[in-house]
Amino acid sequence: MKTITDHLADYAAYHRDRRNIATHLVGIPMIVIALQILLSRPYWGFDGWFMTPALIVAVVASLFYLRLDRPLGILMTLLLALTVILGVKVAALSTTLWLTWGIGLFVVGWLFQFIGHYFEGRKPAFVDDIMGLAIGPLFVVAEVVFMVGGKKQLQQAIEARFEKS
């Protein structure tokens, strides 16, 4: 299994331009929220608990992130829990509003992505490796953690891969 360093370095290879990273800091959260909104229907409630396709996706993604790195995995789990809650709240709105928010955020999020890749001059990472779709949200969270001074060793290990080339 690839390490967190492997995954993030592979993804970072497609995201070296700071403008591209900046667009991803906006676009990827929009896409994740959009998917959680759209996957929050159907909703099965029972005895104070609920189940949605969004919850299933969030749990599977959280387990993947936790296996890669415990602290970042915990942070990702908390953030995904918030998107599940938001998704359920938006999915409870009328079908028109639910779809408007879900599809609207999805389309605008991808516009940000493609603008960023225009700056980068490279195609998105998922074109070559579908895992890029799962790593993108982790990359954004890791970038924010790096910006505030956290996970320096991980950041250095990723950057060292680019110094070799």
mmCIF file of all heavy atoms in Angstrom, residues 2 5 9 12 19 31 33 51 65 67 74 86 94-95 105 114 125 132 141 152:
data_model
loop_
_atom_site.group_PDB
_atom_site.id
_atom_site.type_symbol
_atom_site.label_atom_id
_atom_site.label_comp_id
_atom_site.label_asym_id
_atom_site.label_seq_id
_atom_site.Cartn_x
_atom_site.Cartn_y
_atom_site.Cartn_z
ATOM 1 N N LYS A 2 0.490 2.231 -0.775
ATOM 2 C CA LYS A 2 1.216 3.490 -0.813
ATOM 3 C C LYS A 2 1.105 4.217 0.528
ATOM 4 O O LYS A 2 0.070 4.135 1.190
ATOM 5 C CB LYS A 2 0.635 4.405 -1.891
ATOM 6 C CG LYS A 2 0.984 4.029 -3.302
ATOM 7 C CD LYS A 2 0.224 4.959 -4.240
ATOM 8 C CE LYS A 2 1.068 5.447 -5.355
ATOM 9 N NZ LYS A 2 0.339 6.352 -6.257
ATOM 10 N N THR A 5 2.896 9.867 2.111
ATOM 11 C CA THR A 5 3.890 10.633 1.361
ATOM 12 C C THR A 5 3.809 10.305 -0.116
ATOM 13 O O THR A 5 3.844 11.206 -0.966
ATOM 14 C CB THR A 5 5.307 10.367 1.908
ATOM 15 O OG1 THR A 5 5.311 10.635 3.314
ATOM 16 C CG2 THR A 5 6.343 11.235 1.215
ATOM 17 N N ALA A 9 2.684 13.150 -2.676
ATOM 18 C CA ALA A 9 3.722 13.551 -3.637
ATOM 19 C C ALA A 9 3.251 13.305 -5.066
ATOM 20 O O ALA A 9 3.476 14.144 -5.953
ATOM 21 C CB ALA A 9 5.024 12.807 -3.356
ATOM 22 N N ALA A 12 0.826 16.040 -5.681
ATOM 23 C CA ALA A 12 1.517 17.337 -5.716
ATOM 24 C C ALA A 12 2.264 17.553 -7.026
ATOM 25 O O ALA A 12 2.458 18.697 -7.445
ATOM 26 C CB ALA A 12 2.482 17.456 -4.537
ATOM 27 N N ARG A 19 -1.003 29.239 -7.778
ATOM 28 C CA ARG A 19 -2.357 29.638 -8.196
ATOM 29 C C ARG A 19 -3.250 28.410 -8.336
ATOM 30 O O ARG A 19 -4.436 28.454 -7.994
ATOM 31 C CB ARG A 19 -2.306 30.412 -9.515
ATOM 32 C CG ARG A 19 -1.555 31.727 -9.421
ATOM 33 C CD ARG A 19 -1.296 32.315 -10.770
ATOM 34 N NE ARG A 19 -0.447 31.399 -11.536
ATOM 35 C CZ ARG A 19 -0.085 31.584 -12.783
ATOM 36 N NH1 ARG A 19 -0.509 32.641 -13.453
ATOM 37 N NH2 ARG A 19 0.694 30.720 -13.393
ATOM 38 N N ILE A 31 -16.590 20.794 -4.278
ATOM 39 C CA ILE A 31 -16.954 19.518 -4.907
ATOM 40 C C ILE A 31 -17.326 18.486 -3.840
ATOM 41 O O ILE A 31 -18.316 17.754 -3.985
ATOM 42 C CB ILE A 31 -15.805 19.009 -5.800
ATOM 43 C CG1 ILE A 31 -15.622 19.944 -7.000
ATOM 44 C CG2 ILE A 31 -16.067 17.572 -6.265
ATOM 45 C CD1 ILE A 31 -14.327 19.738 -7.759
ATOM 46 N N ILE A 33 -18.461 19.033 -0.787
ATOM 47 C CA ILE A 33 -19.761 19.411 -0.219
ATOM 48 C C ILE A 33 -20.881 19.091 -1.203
ATOM 49 O O ILE A 33 -21.928 18.553 -0.814
ATOM 50 C CB ILE A 33 -19.769 20.900 0.185
ATOM 51 C CG1 ILE A 33 -18.828 21.118 1.379
ATOM 52 C CG2 ILE A 33 -21.181 21.384 0.502
ATOM 53 C CD1 ILE A 33 -18.506 22.573 1.664
ATOM 54 N N MET A 51 -29.029 6.885 7.844
ATOM 55 C CA MET A 51 -28.092 6.337 6.869
ATOM 56 C C MET A 51 -28.388 6.997 5.530
ATOM 57 O O MET A 51 -29.547 7.157 5.151
ATOM 58 C CB MET A 51 -28.266 4.818 6.752
ATOM 59 C CG MET A 51 -27.361 4.160 5.741
ATOM 60 S SD MET A 51 -25.637 4.119 6.237
ATOM 61 C CE MET A 51 -25.729 3.135 7.702
ATOM 62 N N TYR A 65 -8.337 7.476 4.973
ATOM 63 C CA TYR A 65 -7.467 8.552 5.457
ATOM 64 C C TYR A 65 -6.832 8.189 6.798
ATOM 65 O O TYR A 65 -5.656 8.485 7.032
ATOM 66 C CB TYR A 65 -8.243 9.868 5.588
ATOM 67 C CG TYR A 65 -8.801 10.393 4.290
ATOM 68 C CD1 TYR A 65 -10.087 10.917 4.224
ATOM 69 C CD2 TYR A 65 -8.055 10.372 3.112
ATOM 70 C CE1 TYR A 65 -10.604 11.418 3.040
ATOM 71 C CE2 TYR A 65 -8.570 10.869 1.917
ATOM 72 C CZ TYR A 65 -9.848 11.386 1.893
ATOM 73 O OH TYR A 65 -10.356 11.873 0.717
ATOM 74 N N ARG A 67 -6.039 5.237 7.846
ATOM 75 C CA ARG A 67 -4.972 4.255 7.590
ATOM 76 C C ARG A 67 -3.700 4.933 7.096
ATOM 77 O O ARG A 67 -2.601 4.477 7.365
ATOM 78 C CB ARG A 67 -5.413 3.219 6.566
ATOM 79 C CG ARG A 67 -6.262 2.126 7.168
ATOM 80 C CD ARG A 67 -6.501 1.014 6.206
ATOM 81 N NE ARG A 67 -5.242 0.345 5.876
ATOM 82 C CZ ARG A 67 -5.118 -0.637 5.030
ATOM 83 N NH1 ARG A 67 -6.193 -1.085 4.411
ATOM 84 N NH2 ARG A 67 -3.960 -1.182 4.774
ATOM 85 N N ILE A 74 -7.969 11.912 11.339
ATOM 86 C CA ILE A 74 -8.950 12.406 12.319
ATOM 87 C C ILE A 74 -9.520 13.744 11.851
ATOM 88 O O ILE A 74 -10.738 13.963 11.902
ATOM 89 C CB ILE A 74 -8.315 12.521 13.722
ATOM 90 C CG1 ILE A 74 -8.034 11.110 14.276
ATOM 91 C CG2 ILE A 74 -9.206 13.313 14.672
ATOM 92 C CD1 ILE A 74 -7.171 11.097 15.520
ATOM 93 N N LEU A 86 -24.209 18.822 6.855
ATOM 94 C CA LEU A 86 -24.671 19.844 5.906
ATOM 95 C C LEU A 86 -25.462 19.215 4.768
ATOM 96 O O LEU A 86 -26.525 19.714 4.378
ATOM 97 C CB LEU A 86 -23.476 20.633 5.356
ATOM 98 C CG LEU A 86 -23.813 21.695 4.318
ATOM 99 C CD1 LEU A 86 -24.728 22.771 4.901
ATOM 100 C CD2 LEU A 86 -22.539 22.315 3.764
ATOM 101 N N SER A 94 -36.428 21.473 -0.527
ATOM 102 C CA SER A 94 -37.169 21.035 -1.713
ATOM 103 C C SER A 94 -36.199 20.414 -2.723
ATOM 104 O O SER A 94 -34.996 20.700 -2.700
ATOM 105 C CB SER A 94 -37.889 22.225 -2.367
ATOM 106 O OG SER A 94 -36.942 23.092 -2.972
ATOM 107 N N THR A 95 -36.721 19.590 -3.591
ATOM 108 C CA THR A 95 -35.885 18.945 -4.600
ATOM 109 C C THR A 95 -35.172 19.977 -5.456
ATOM 110 O O THR A 95 -33.990 19.821 -5.767
ATOM 111 C CB THR A 95 -36.738 18.006 -5.483
ATOM 112 O OG1 THR A 95 -37.328 17.010 -4.645
ATOM 113 C CG2 THR A 95 -35.904 17.348 -6.554
ATOM 114 N N LEU A 105 -22.777 23.836 -6.742
ATOM 115 C CA LEU A 105 -21.459 23.733 -6.096
ATOM 116 C C LEU A 105 -20.523 22.817 -6.880
ATOM 117 O O LEU A 105 -19.333 23.097 -7.011
ATOM 118 C CB LEU A 105 -21.603 23.229 -4.659
ATOM 119 C CG LEU A 105 -22.135 24.234 -3.646
ATOM 120 C CD1 LEU A 105 -22.475 23.545 -2.328
ATOM 121 C CD2 LEU A 105 -21.131 25.350 -3.417
ATOM 122 N N PHE A 114 -10.442 23.502 -13.079
ATOM 123 C CA PHE A 114 -9.921 23.622 -14.440
ATOM 124 C C PHE A 114 -9.191 24.944 -14.660
ATOM 125 O O PHE A 114 -8.218 24.984 -15.410
ATOM 126 C CB PHE A 114 -11.024 23.384 -15.460
ATOM 127 C CG PHE A 114 -11.467 21.942 -15.486
ATOM 128 C CD1 PHE A 114 -12.790 21.601 -15.258
ATOM 129 C CD2 PHE A 114 -10.552 20.922 -15.708
ATOM 130 C CE1 PHE A 114 -13.188 20.273 -15.263
ATOM 131 C CE2 PHE A 114 -10.950 19.594 -15.719
ATOM 132 C CZ PHE A 114 -12.264 19.269 -15.492
ATOM 133 N N ALA A 125 -4.764 15.435 -11.878
ATOM 134 C CA ALA A 125 -4.101 14.198 -11.464
ATOM 135 C C ALA A 125 -4.973 12.960 -11.708
ATOM 136 O O ALA A 125 -4.467 11.899 -12.084
ATOM 137 C CB ALA A 125 -3.708 14.276 -9.991
ATOM 138 N N GLY A 132 -6.564 10.052 -7.522
ATOM 139 C CA GLY A 132 -6.487 11.498 -7.341
ATOM 140 C C GLY A 132 -7.800 12.088 -6.848
ATOM 141 O O GLY A 132 -7.796 13.100 -6.140
ATOM 142 N N VAL A 141 -6.447 19.617 2.645
ATOM 143 C CA VAL A 141 -6.333 19.698 4.103
ATOM 144 C C VAL A 141 -4.861 19.703 4.513
ATOM 145 O O VAL A 141 -4.450 20.493 5.372
ATOM 146 C CB VAL A 141 -7.125 18.559 4.782
ATOM 147 C CG1 VAL A 141 -6.810 18.474 6.268
ATOM 148 C CG2 VAL A 141 -8.623 18.780 4.566
ATOM 149 N N LYS A 152 5.419 19.346 9.443
ATOM 150 C CA LYS A 152 6.616 19.791 8.712
ATOM 151 C C LYS A 152 7.389 18.614 8.116
ATOM 152 O O LYS A 152 7.893 18.692 6.998
ATOM 153 C CB LYS A 152 7.538 20.610 9.623
ATOM 154 C CG LYS A 152 7.020 21.995 9.894
ATOM 155 C CD LYS A 152 7.051 22.820 8.639
ATOM 156 C CE LYS A 152 6.607 24.230 8.894
ATOM 157 N NZ LYS A 152 6.368 24.960 7.672
#
